[in-house]
Amino acid sequence: MKAAVYRRYGGPEVVTVEKVARPEPGPGEVLVKVEAAAVTSADWRLRAAAFPSFTALPGRLMFGIFRPRKPVLGGGFAGRVVARGQGSERFEVGQAVVGFSVTGAHAEYVAMPEDGAILERPEALSPEEAASLPFGGLSALVFLRDFARLQPGERVLVVGASGGVGVHAVQIARALGAEVDVVCRAEHASLMRELGAGRVFDYRHEDFAESGKNWDIVIDCVGASSLKASRRALSAQGRFVALNMDWTVLFQALTNWLRRGPKMVTGVSLDKREDLESLLGWVGAGKLRPVVEQVFPLDEIRAAHTALDSRHRAGTLVVTIG
């Protein structure tokens, strides 16, 4: 099968399209013919071995010390089940699905545990739209609902709101009953308002902490702010939510009990089928919509990674396969 492969760590130039062995579904697994897959910041981090701070050694041990242990990237995907492993009964052959596999989805086929983060794909979603949901949507949901414990009526500021996680964070915060403002480039303001945001801060010309406004939650989707920089903009019970963890973030989270006022919140998001069900439920109810910035064929995967590295996107990048 064709797959986008990286044999060493580095920039977009390390990714090539090659012929590799097709995976076979094991017991309790299904084989999915991939139609579309997202290209996300998780792919950038693995491709470049950009593991921050204290996660550098564990990251290398998990994914490969000197070279990638799993050379095919790609997490969020959409496709159709083409084979079932022994004992697999949850999905029918030919059924359209959407899921998240951490790695392996930038290929014509991916094998998935049938009890993993994989669900039947709603007919209303195209493969490209469906593939764009899992990574950003699952991250935003877990950090807002579970780690920040967002309550209806609270005020939320999303930093990096136009990116692959941010566009989901804006909508999910709204779905959970919050009022939402955002930090992004001014050229993305109309999209942000379509997604339900109120005030839009252009980080190139405005400092949200100097605006005089207060929020209960500041969620930083791109590592552009800090608890110290946001403290004046947070309510007394406010939470600064960091998706990018380093020594400072970890230390501040562990010593929250010593600190009066706003707290640091962080964690590790696990990809659960139940959370993916929540995302699809909001899509069906019209509270969450996919935002796909650009679609590339698999043969142009390097161009997708180059666009990813620009860090100035409005939604999710997707590759089509097959």
Side-chain angles (χ1 to χ4, degrees), residues 193-259:
R193 294 193 177 99
E194 287 176 18
L195 299 181
R199 182 164 177 180
V200 178
F201 294 89
D202 185 340
Y203 64 88
R204 295 169 297 182
H205 307 294
E206 300 174 276
D207 181 353
F208 67 84
E210 300 287 347
S211 68
K213 291 197 67 173
N214 274 135
W215 295 272
D216 301 294
I217 294 172
V218 173
I219 178 169
D220 182 3
C221 301
V222 292
S225 191
S226 66
L227 174 60
K228 180 179 179 180
S230 304
R231 184 176 292 276
R232 285 172 297 167
L234 283 162
S235 64
Q237 302 301 316
R239 291 86 80 198
F240 180 84
V241 184
L243 271 70
N244 295 311
M245 190 187 301
D246 58 21
W247 280 114
T248 300
V249 168
L250 181 62
F251 177 78
Q252 290 178 333
L254 292 174
T255 56
N256 273 336
W257 63 279
L258 294 171
R259 185 182 299 107

Side-chain angles (χ1 to χ4, degrees), residues 173-204:
R174 290 279 296 167
L176 293 173
E179 299 177 14
V180 182
D181 296 317
V182 299
V183 178
C184 64
R185 290 187 169 216
E187 48 264 42
H188 300 147
S190 60
L191 170 63
M192 294 296 101
R193 294 193 177 99
E194 287 176 18
L195 299 181
R199 182 164 177 180
V200 178
F201 294 89
D202 185 340
Y203 64 88
R204 295 169 297 182

Side-chain angles (χ1 to χ4, degrees), residues 42-43 50 59 105-106 123 128 130 140 155 164 185 304:
D43 299 312
H106 292 167
E123 291 183 3
E128 294 82 4
R155 303 177 304 277
R185 290 187 169 216

Side-chain angles (χ1 to χ4, degrees), residues 54-55 139 142-143 146-147 242-243 245 266-272:
F54 67 92
T55 67
S139 298
V142 171
F143 274 84
D146 300 340
F147 299 156
L243 271 70
M245 190 187 301
T266 191
V268 177
S269 175
L270 300 178
D271 310 302
K272 298 180 180 179

Side-chain angles (χ1 to χ4, degrees), residues 20 34 89 100 117 167 172 180 185 207 219 230 232-233 242 247 257 267 274 277 289 299 309 317:
V20 301
V34 181
E89 299 179 347
F100 188 81
V167 293
I172 289 170
V180 182
R185 290 187 169 216
D207 181 353
I219 178 169
S230 304
R232 285 172 297 167
W247 280 114
W257 63 279
E274 296 82 2
E277 287 177 344
R289 70 174 174 92
D299 288 340
D309 284 7
L317 303 171

